[in-house]
Amino acid sequence: MPQYLKLDQAASELATRLGENCRARRAKLKISQAELSERSGIAASHLSYIEHGKANPTLEVIEHLARGLECSVIELLSEPIKKK
């Protein structure tokens, strides 16, 4: 019997991963949400929602985030590599 992907659940997991990766990348660059807002053109309040996994950003917003964070869209959406 085929399993169907629950869109709400998948979107939630992806939104959480995006938020965690944004926060981690921003910490690595040692920049605030305000600075990322200036770099990306995304409102700081919206960045907060994204980092907490409560936003559903468009692909265009994710591209702006990636540029502001000096990384690729793939890096923002991928599972972090576990360090041993």
Side-chain angles (χ1 to χ4, degrees):
M1 177 174 212
Q3 282 190 311
Y4 293 97
L5 180 63
K6 292 183 180 178
L7 194 54
D8 291 347
Q9 183 180 4
S12 177
E13 290 172 13
L14 189 57
T16 300
R17 183 179 309 140
L18 173 64
E20 290 171 353
N21 289 342
C22 283
R23 194 169 30 254
R25 182 70 184 169
R26 190 170 55 75
K28 184 177 179 180
L29 294 172
K30 299 178 183 171
I31 62 173
S32 66
Q33 283 183 346
E35 187 171 342
L36 178 55
S37 176
E38 288 180 27
R39 289 180 175 203
S40 64
I42 300 166
S45 58
H46 192 53
L47 290 173
S48 178
Y49 280 106
I50 292 170
E51 286 189 2
H52 286 93
K54 298 185 188 276
N56 189 15
T58 64
L59 289 173
E60 185 177 8
V61 168
I62 296 171
E63 284 182 81
H64 286 286
L65 268 177
R67 268 188 246 128
L69 291 168
E70 302 170 3
C71 65
S72 71
V73 170
I74 299 298
E75 288 175 279
L76 290 180
L77 298 175
S78 298
E79 287 191 44
I81 298 171
K82 308 269 193 245
K83 294 183 180 179
K84 292 181 181 182

